[in-house]
Amino acid sequence: MSRNVALIVAAGRGHRVGGPLPKQYRRLSGGAILAHSVTAFARLASIAAVRVVIHPDDAEHYQEALSGLNADMQTKLLAPVAGGASRQESVRLGLESLTEDAPDAVLIHDGARPLVSEAVIERSLTALAQDIGAIAALPLSDSLKRATPDGRSIEQNVAREGLWRAQTPQTFRFGDILAAHQAARGQHATDDATVAEMHGASVALVLGDEENIKITTEADMVRAEQILMDRSDDRPADSQEWRVKVGLGYDVHRFSEDGDHLMLCAVRVPFERGVASHSDGDVALHALVDAILGALGDGDIGVHFPPSDEKWRGAKSEIFVAHALKLLLARHGHLDHIDITLICEQPKLSLYRDEMRDRLASLLGLPLSAVSLKATTTERLGFTGRAEGIAAQAVATVRLPVEAP
Ligand code: MG
């Protein structure tokens, strides 16, 4: 049997600003996106080993993401290697790291395509019996239009016959793709099939899968969750037993005369005042951190980040959220849902709600469907009603593994 190695490329940082977790480490139905991608290959008898190319700063995220793999799969997992400045460079470095191993075939796969099926992988390997390379792709079904330079109207209809959308894995005989990538250094190619073609190899198309999506947007996260949920219906039940826990958080900050904005859910909201606070005063994130800590039964934000500690002066509250998520991950738990209510008379928050939800989803690695955010006034009653300050309540629903007795 030939030795086939999956090379999973996960070295990108995405273009999203902020947030503690690069996209490939965000959680999807109980595991990091990358863990799903690795598992898709590592569970197959036809795959001898899996190597992941990571960003040099992501070693810790990588360890956390893949620590839950079962022992069989762990033995197939080669140590990760650091990628380069572009995807192409990362693939080349990944291939070079396999030189000693010298597998027969290498399946190059995007870390952000966690839903690749066994059928697509097996079709790709089968194609190598005849071809040097084979990529998963789908024939285009939508009509194609070329737009005018200003992008406003149609300049030309493009015949879609013979056009395919490339996916991954892109599978090659190892020696050929290594040579092609080394020859292509400094040249820009859109994918590995292009690199192979530049080197004179002809690459076969094998049928991909509509569900083999690359996760780039929040909508993709939701769709991927849905696909995983549908698939799990006809698979044996996860033997892990979970206990659902709910945590509650509440926080208040007083408005102060100096300042011209509030930080709320990590979004800057212009306002005629600021808040009195040791950190950036993000009342929503503080309530959220307390909710997560509450579900873990692990004290409150003041215990973990004492206001007496100068270290936290002016700190971004995202740091506190990332810390709470780490504590959750350390217990192999999962955040399933959050619900936040902001309570204030001023400022008006409706304009910022969508952006705040996006930021929360991004910070927490949750699909938007698992992020609820509301705002209310108190009918001019009490301190919020008198616009002396702002309050927030948060509820976090988490799942924790039931410890074996
Ligand atoms: Mg606070």
Side-chain angles (χ1 to χ4, degrees):
M1 195 166 136
S2 57
R3 178 171 167 86
N4 307 315
V5 174
L7 182 66
I8 297 183
V9 193
R13 303 324 299 276
H15 297 289
R16 187 170 45 75
V17 192
L21 282 177
K23 177 179 67 186
Q24 56 274 35
Y25 299 104
R26 288 185 54 179
R27 283 183 310 288
L28 187 66
S29 273
I33 289 174
L34 180 61
H36 286 280
S37 305
V38 167
T39 302
F41 290 88
R43 67 193 175 91
L44 303 180
S46 54
I47 302 295
V50 179
R51 167 154 279 156
V52 184
V53 185
I54 65 171
H55 190 281
D57 294 345
D58 288 348
E60 206 175 310
H61 291 316
Y62 173 87
Q63 293 302 345
E64 274 173 15
L66 297 184
S67 60
L69 253 53
N70 72 31
D72 275 357
M73 292 198 258
Q74 291 285 3
T75 59
K76 288 190 182 183
L77 203 55
L78 307 175
V81 294
S86 66
R87 183 186 187 281
Q88 187 177 331
E89 206 184 329
S90 293
V91 172
R92 179 179 54 77
L93 291 166
L95 291 169
E96 286 173 349
S97 79
L98 293 170
T99 309
E100 252 175 52
D101 188 309
D104 298 293
V106 60
L107 301 92
I108 303 168
H109 187 67
D110 297 329
R113 287 189 195 269
L115 303 175
V116 60
S117 67
E118 177 173 2
V120 170
I121 294 169
E122 296 301 340
R123 277 200 285 276
S124 304
L125 287 171
T126 304
L128 283 205
Q130 276 156 40
D131 296 279
I132 285 174
I135 71 164
L138 283 174
L140 275 180
S141 53
D142 300 320
S143 299
L144 284 185
K145 315 287 180 191
R146 187 182 307 282
T148 50
D150 62 4
R152 291 194 52 219
S153 46
I154 298 170
E155 187 173 270
Q156 193 190 7
N157 283 298
V158 180
R160 67 176 179 228
E161 282 70 37
L163 292 183
W164 292 58
R165 285 187 280 139
Q167 299 184 331
T168 68
Q170 304 202 345
T171 305
F172 302 89
R173 295 183 196 165
F174 176 70
D176 295 293
I177 192 65
L178 175 64
H181 261 281
Q182 287 178 329
R185 272 186 88 153
Q187 291 168 273
H188 176 74
T190 50
D191 63 0
D192 306 298
T194 313
V195 169
E197 285 160 32
M198 282 159 47
H199 203 58
S202 87
V203 179
L205 291 165
V206 301
L207 196 62
D209 185 344
E210 284 295 350
E211 292 186 349
N212 182 18
I213 56 174
K214 184 171 183 178
I215 296 182
T216 46
T217 65
E218 289 302 325
D220 296 333
M221 286 292 286
V222 178
R223 181 152 174 244
E225 291 267 14
Q226 192 60 55
I227 292 169
L228 281 171
M229 226 183 285
D230 292 348
R231 286 183 183 178
S232 68
D233 289 345
D234 43 44
R235 278 194 193 167
D238 186 351
S239 59
Q240 177 66 59
E241 274 189 73
W242 299 95
R243 183 158 289 138
V244 173
K245 300 217 175 184
V246 174
L248 172 73
Y250 177 71
D251 194 33
V252 170
H253 283 266
R254 178 198 298 274
F255 291 144
S256 73
E257 288 311 318
D258 51 330
D260 58 1
H261 72 278
L262 308 177
M263 290 307 295
L264 294 171
C265 305
V267 171
R268 187 187 170 97
V269 177
F271 187 46
E272 75 240 16
R273 285 173 284 171
V275 289
S277 171
H278 193 66
S279 66
D280 67 2
D282 192 324
V283 76
L285 293 190
H286 294 182
L288 176 63
V289 168
D290 267 356
I292 297 170
L293 293 174
L296 292 173
D298 194 355
D300 62 25
I301 192 169
V303 172
H304 292 268
F305 304 97
S308 54
D309 190 336
E310 273 307 305
K311 195 158 78 175
W312 309 118
R313 178 171 297 282
K316 280 187 163 189
S317 297
E318 281 113 300
I319 297 170
F320 308 152
V321 176
H323 177 78
L325 288 179
K326 260 193 171 167
L327 293 174
L328 179 62
L329 276 178
R331 304 250 306 257
H332 301 284
H334 302 291
L335 180 63
D336 281 340
H337 188 265
I338 63 155
D339 187 14
I340 296 178
T341 300
L342 284 161
I343 306 161
C344 63
E345 204 68 40
Q346 295 172 3
K348 292 284 169 246
L349 299 175
S350 53
L351 278 179
Y352 300 94
R353 183 170 170 272
D354 288 347
E355 192 184 346
M356 289 178 187
R357 272 185 83 211
D358 280 345
R359 282 295 283 142
L360 288 168
S362 168
L363 281 174
L364 298 167
L366 286 174
L368 270 184
S369 57
V371 176
S372 167
L373 176 65
K374 313 183 289 316
T376 186
T377 69
T378 48
E379 300 277 326
R380 310 230 164 137
L381 297 170
F383 71 90
T384 51
R386 293 187 298 272
E388 293 167 6
I390 182 166
Q393 295 177 332
V395 169
T397 306
V398 312
R399 251 179 314 147
L400 292 168
V402 175
E403 304 289 338

